[in-house]
Amino acid sequence: TPKGLRAPPRPCHYKSKGGLEVLREAQLNTVTDAAFCTASLSGFTAKVDQLLMENFEFIILDENQGAIWRPLAPLFEALITEGQVPSRRKIHALVLTLLRTDNHSIQQAKKVWTAVVALKLLGDRNIPVALKTYHEVLLGCKDLGLHKQSLEVLDTMHSTNVTANVAIYNLALAACGKGGDWKAALLLLDSMRRSGVAPNAKSFTSAMTSCTKAGRWEISLRLLEEMKRWGVAANSFSYSAGIRACDQGGQCERALELLDDMTKQGVVPNEHCFSSALNACSHGGQWERALTLLKEDMVIAGVRPNRVCYGAAMKACGRADRWSDVAGLLESMDDLGVRPDAVNLMLALEACRRLGWRKDASIIFKRLLSVTRVVPSRALEAMLAIYEDGGDWQASLSALRGAERC
């Protein structure tokens, strides 16, 4: 038993207690067996009991620190105790306490689930909840990509006649964007229109992202066109989502047209726009256009290329067998102070293999060992091929030993 916590009572102790007593005693004990705990919740109404039985694993477990729902225990007590109705301020404080303690992703997901269940329980009891509380829970859903839970929160708001504003809808749409739930995103856009809530650029961008992630790039591009009909000005993130959709659909020329169009509309492209356009060039075999984008267009726009942009340009040149350009791009990264990642170094190593540059390959291989814990098999194959062509078996053995140390 951890220091400062009493040992949990035996299961039979809980079975003789009512639901409210279990909640109160669980605040002082570390409960680890959900089976006998759920069996003792006889004091709950049928609806509350069903919800807690379905979601108890998200409400009770918190490794060695007790129950993760402990900050919400007063709220659950109020739900099963006659005459206790917590205020909106009290509810908001309890939910914030739950969500803002410990940002570990796994635990945070459980806490968001718990908050969603709590809002559902409050809605079933017709207990009013502040709009900012719904906003905080939806923010947690958005950060973790819990799109289904975000829709449950919106359903609870609708059932309790709480009007959702554009910020609320945008959080739910962003959760759908992370989860790739394109159908739900389109339904949310339609719900906004029917509710008289005008979608903005962020709304459309999240819906476009969800469509692209689900492989529905045509719908994503149609949403970009629909923004104009709605009088919503597309921003750099909207165009980036559209260019990414073009890349996924193999529409290289269309991606470049969007990049030109946003410049004409006075929208400054960001690094995401350029990296998506460079990827489209890579997949479309437009290596010359890729180099122009990287070396000229990004300079004019005042956007500093990152390793993703360089990686896309290097892939475009590699697919066209322009290996000297690939090696030159790695030098350009070093000159600009852009630290290459494993992808950049792998492409440069392949270029050295194709060009027969043994000395440069050895240097790049050592750099690769410093940025990755697991050496890709392709890197070892490239190094062995280089030394084999030169008849230097000792250098091959040295490369293998270096990889083992890594």
Side-chain angles (χ1 to χ4, degrees):
T1 303
K3 186 177 181 180
L5 293 176
R6 298 189 313 178
R10 290 175 296 177
C12 60
H13 175 77
Y14 277 104
K15 290 181 180 179
S16 63
K17 297 285 184 178
L20 179 59
E21 287 77 11
V22 171
L23 286 171
R24 286 173 177 164
E25 292 199 7
Q27 290 182 265
L28 302 175
N29 297 292
T30 304
V31 183
T32 57
D33 190 343
F36 65 82
C37 291
T38 52
S40 67
L41 297 174
S42 58
F44 284 80
T45 62
K47 184 64 177 177
V48 174
D49 190 45
Q50 178 185 354
L51 283 168
L52 287 178
M53 288 284 284
E54 292 174 351
N55 300 280
F56 210 82
E57 67 271 20
F58 297 104
I59 296 173
I60 199 167
L61 183 62
D62 186 21
E63 297 180 354
N64 297 324
Q65 302 302 321
I68 70 166
W69 54 271
R70 185 174 297 169
L72 284 185
L75 183 58
F76 287 117
E77 286 189 11
L79 291 172
I80 61 174
T81 304
E82 296 296 333
Q84 291 191 22
V85 179
S87 65
R88 296 184 184 186
R89 180 178 296 181
K90 181 67 173 178
I91 292 172
H92 186 69
L94 290 171
V95 171
L96 284 185
T97 302
L98 175 73
L99 295 178
R100 295 186 178 180
T101 54
D102 182 19
N103 291 323
H104 189 275
S105 58
I106 298 177
Q107 290 296 87
Q108 197 65 18
K110 295 177 183 178
K111 292 178 180 181
V112 173
W113 267 80
T114 304
V116 172
V117 173
L119 293 180
K120 176 64 177 174
L121 296 175
L122 291 167
D124 290 343
R125 292 298 186 89
N126 295 319
I127 298 176
V129 178
L131 184 64
K132 62 181 180 180
T133 307
Y134 287 109
H135 186 279
E136 289 292 336
V137 177
L138 283 170
L139 187 61
C141 293
K142 186 265 294 185
D143 292 340
L144 297 170
L146 302 176
H147 52 99
K148 293 182 179 180
Q149 286 68 42
S150 68
L151 298 179
E152 290 180 14
V153 174
L154 287 179
D155 287 340
T156 301
M157 294 180 67
H158 179 72
S159 64
T160 54
N161 297 319
V162 178
T163 303
N165 56 24
V166 66
I168 292 291
Y169 275 110
N170 282 347
L171 288 174
L173 282 165
C176 291
K178 279 196 172 184
D181 193 345
W182 66 280
K183 293 182 179 180
L186 296 181
L187 288 174
L188 284 175
L189 280 179
D190 185 62
S191 177
M192 293 178 73
R193 296 163 185 157
R194 288 187 285 103
S195 302
V197 180
N200 56 22
K202 185 179 291 186
S203 311
F204 279 102
T205 302
S206 296
M208 291 170 64
T209 300
S210 63
C211 292
T212 302
K213 280 192 174 183
R216 303 285 179 168
W217 60 271
E218 308 100 322
I219 300 177
S220 181
L221 292 178
R222 285 205 293 270
L223 287 174
L224 186 61
E225 294 296 327
E226 192 171 346
M227 290 180 68
K228 299 177 181 178
R229 292 196 294 270
W230 271 77
V232 179
N235 56 24
S236 59
F237 296 101
S238 306
Y239 275 107
S240 176
I243 296 172
R244 192 162 53 249
C246 293
D247 173 33
Q248 187 184 80
Q251 304 294 315
C252 178
E253 293 299 329
R254 178 64 176 144
L256 296 175
E257 288 175 6
L258 285 179
L259 193 63
D260 292 336
D261 182 63
M262 66 184 300
T263 304
K264 294 176 183 178
Q265 298 297 327
V267 181
V268 179
N270 56 23
E271 61 184 20
H272 301 292
C273 298
F274 280 110
S275 62
S276 298
L278 284 164
N279 276 319
C281 291
S282 174
H283 296 144
Q286 299 283 346
W287 67 272
E288 292 176 306
R289 189 70 176 94
L291 291 179
T292 302
L293 283 174
L294 186 71
K295 296 181 178 180
E296 298 179 14
D297 293 1
M298 294 190 73
V299 174
I300 295 173
V303 179
R304 186 172 184 266
N306 57 19
R307 63 186 67 175
V308 177
C309 296
Y310 272 104
M314 294 169 80
K315 288 177 183 177
C317 293
R319 284 170 177 161
D321 288 332
R322 303 286 302 185
W323 297 108
S324 58
D325 290 315
V326 174
L329 287 173
L330 183 63
E331 292 182 12
S332 178
M333 292 183 71
D334 294 334
D335 293 339
L336 291 177
V338 181
R339 186 176 180 181
D341 59 10
V343 175
N344 305 130
L345 293 172
M346 273 297 306
L347 289 166
L349 185 61
E350 179 64 19
C352 292
R353 185 182 77 82
R354 298 295 186 98
L355 297 170
W357 295 353
R358 295 175 57 197
K359 184 177 180 180
D360 294 288
S362 299
I363 296 173
I364 293 174
F365 186 73
K366 290 179 181 179
R367 294 178 67 179
L368 182 63
L369 295 180
S370 66
V371 300
T372 182
R373 292 184 177 180
V374 180
V375 180
S377 58
R378 289 183 302 157
L380 287 174
E381 291 171 2
M383 289 300 297
L384 292 175
I386 291 172
Y387 292 131
E388 183 180 357
D389 293 340
D392 192 347
W393 64 269
Q394 290 182 340
S396 300
L397 184 60
S398 177
L400 288 172
R401 287 173 176 171
E404 289 179 355
R405 286 194 298 271
C406 179

